[in-house]
Amino acid sequence: MYDYLIVGAGLYGATVARELTDVGKKILVIDKRNHIAGNVYTEKVEGINVHIYGPHIFHTNDKTVWSYVQRFAEFNRFTNSPLANYKGELYSLPFNMYTFNKMWGAVTPEEASTKIEEQRKAVGIVKPKNLEEQAITLVGTDIYEKLIKEYTQKQWGRPCDQLPTYIIKRLPVRLTFDNNYFNALYQGIPVGGYTKMVNNMLSGVDVRTGVDFFEHKDELMKNAKTVIYTGSIDAYFNYSLGNLEYRSVCFENETLNKPNFQGNAVVNYTDAETPWTRIIEHKWFEFGKDEEGKNLPKTVISREYSSEWKPGLEPYYPVNDDKNGKLYEAYKELAAKELNVIFGGRLGEYKYYDMDQVIAMALEKVKTL
Ligand code: UDP
């Protein structure tokens, strides 16, 4: 008999498993995939830690979370500075003085803010109601047209005027020359990959991979007092109230016989003609891999494609618009009636959480148990 059955060996599951094990609870973690670590899973290919489910850069302002993860991994000083490629023109991200200089020739912060203000006024937005209006308010029409509009349409499969404002507010806008994509005090990548980190988190915990919760639900639930479920909340209820919408991504991985393909970990393709949203060159997430290829003569790249989720695909991003928000609330009511089952994580709570938020939520939840 287990005190807790944890469904999903991602960051939420691994954090609660660690904490509950450390207070003497008997835990079983299962995952339907044949590996741990959920979507932060990394796998070594040609000596490079490949982010199999897309790029994950750990960043946080939460000192508790940062100290917590240090227990399980050493972090390097990687700083995410993606580039935008619009029809072959390269721009710095996030939107900062380098971007404004390339776009308009603006040299001073004053010139850049005047330009943004001019473009914002011309469109006449008072209170942004959707992502399009929010983006124009933040950076003006030129940047919206070249770096946001088509990328967002590809990423979300919806036009920007049908998306919520908060998505674009994830990105900083700065009148300084600073290409750091995140406004976070702490940032880095675990040396040796995320799988190693999650493996350390799960040390001494009973873990079974390749086990589908729904296939063995009755038996598994009989053997545990409480279930902590981190899969999709609508899947748990067999989609009885209808499907929540998710965006899915898939990757086309390629190993190239050259040491350096794009000179950066992440390049976003912001035009509509390029079918992928971004290309990841995994070796640049870690250091000591010099571009002449003395250490690593090859490189591994992943082209990322975005699509609407349908059964059989992996759900990645919740589509947190009004319609889905209402449906989620209805599922949440069902969840509240499911005594002895706790729903957590990005899929369990249907929220666009970053890794640090997932860990913070898991630590909070454990305090209540
Ligand atoms: N975005 C954009 N152009 C870019 C990068 C991001 O328009 O070059 C927008 C897009 O709508 C995206 C959102 O900003 O969904 C948030 O981007 P973020 O990089 O945080 O997304 P994630 O890495 O989680 O996919």
Side-chain angles (χ1 to χ4, degrees), residues 260-279:
N260 188 0
F261 170 70
Q262 62 184 17
N264 206 32
V266 183
V267 178
N268 292 353
Y269 285 75
T270 58
D271 59 88
E273 289 87 79
T274 310
W276 52 83
T277 49
R278 49 190 176 187
I279 300 184

Side-chain angles (χ1 to χ4, degrees), residues 74-360:
E74 181 192 345
F75 279 72
N76 69 21
R77 57 153 198 86
F78 180 82
T79 301
N80 194 26
S81 312
L83 290 166
N85 181 323
Y86 179 80
K87 301 183 178 178
E89 289 171 24
L90 291 181
Y91 291 92
S92 294
L93 291 173
F95 313 115
N96 73 88
M97 282 304 297
Y98 289 111
T99 330
F100 307 139
N101 177 262
K102 178 92 186 242
M103 189 67 72
W104 302 312
V107 171
T108 62
E110 206 176 328
E111 283 168 29
S113 61
T114 305
K115 195 83 189 168
I116 295 171
E117 191 54 31
E118 259 171 41
Q119 300 199 344
R120 182 191 300 164
K121 277 215 177 106
V123 181
I125 300 160
V126 184
K127 192 171 180 295
K129 290 187 296 296
N130 54 49
L131 196 153
E132 175 175 282
E133 294 186 359
Q134 182 65 66
I136 294 170
T137 303
L138 287 169
V139 288
T141 36
D142 290 340
I143 290 179
Y144 169 67
E145 293 289 338
K146 285 189 167 180
L147 306 185
I148 298 175
K149 187 179 175 181
E150 296 167 19
Y151 180 92
T152 299
Q153 166 84 42
K154 282 195 286 188
Q155 164 76 16
W156 292 96
R158 291 152 177 78
C160 291
D161 60 6
Q162 287 174 28
L163 286 164
T165 55
Y166 85 91
I167 294 177
I168 200 67
K169 287 198 250 167
R170 288 170 59 85
L171 270 53
V173 178
R174 298 194 188 103
L175 292 170
T176 55
F177 291 90
D178 179 2
N179 289 329
N180 183 351
Y181 199 61
F182 301 116
N183 280 327
L185 277 175
Y186 311 104
Q187 185 172 173
I189 303 270
V191 176
Y194 285 94
T195 306
K196 187 173 160 195
M197 176 178 103
V198 177
N199 199 38
N200 288 338
M201 294 173 84
L202 290 170
S203 138
V205 181
D206 210 351
V207 180
R208 288 190 222 150
T209 54
V211 177
D212 188 320
F213 173 65
F214 296 110
E215 265 175 40
H216 309 279
K217 192 171 168 197
D218 293 343
E219 184 196 333
L220 285 163
M221 287 186 80
K222 236 190 297 162
N223 294 325
K225 291 181 198 150
T226 304
V227 175
I228 298 179
Y229 172 85
T230 72
S232 308
I233 188 165
D234 53 345
Y236 181 91
F237 293 104
N238 203 18
Y239 309 102
S240 56
L241 306 176
N243 276 25
L244 286 165
E245 291 175 299
Y246 301 88
R247 291 299 287 175
S248 188
V249 279
C250 64
F251 301 92
E252 197 178 82
N253 299 330
E254 210 181 328
T255 300
L256 304 174
N257 269 322
K258 55 170 92 170
N260 188 0
F261 170 70
Q262 62 184 17
N264 206 32
V266 183
V267 178
N268 292 353
Y269 285 75
T270 58
D271 59 88
E273 289 87 79
T274 310
W276 52 83
T277 49
R278 49 190 176 187
I279 300 184
I280 311 306
E281 188 169 11
H282 300 268
K283 68 189 329 188
W284 305 128
F285 286 124
E286 291 191 65
F287 296 100
K289 323 273 199 241
D290 65 288
E291 63 271 30
E292 281 94 47
K294 276 182 233 122
N295 298 324
L296 287 171
K298 294 187 185 177
T299 193
V300 180
I301 62 163
S302 303
R303 290 185 181 81
E304 182 173 329
Y305 298 85
S306 187
S307 67
E308 198 66 18
W309 175 84
K310 53 182 190 314
L313 293 179
E314 296 285 350
Y316 278 82
Y317 297 88
V319 181
N320 288 125
D321 58 12
D322 290 345
K323 182 178 105 191
N324 287 296
K326 286 198 186 97
L327 184 54
Y328 169 66
E329 287 305 319
Y331 274 118
K332 214 171 137 189
E333 277 177 30
L334 286 186
K337 291 186 198 134
E338 207 63 4
L339 304 173
N340 307 329
V341 183
I342 293 160
F343 293 78
R346 196 190 256 215
L347 298 175
E349 295 177 44
Y350 197 66
K351 293 217 172 56
Y352 191 177
Y353 284 142
D354 287 330
M355 291 180 279
D356 62 324
Q357 294 169 306
V358 167
I359 293 174

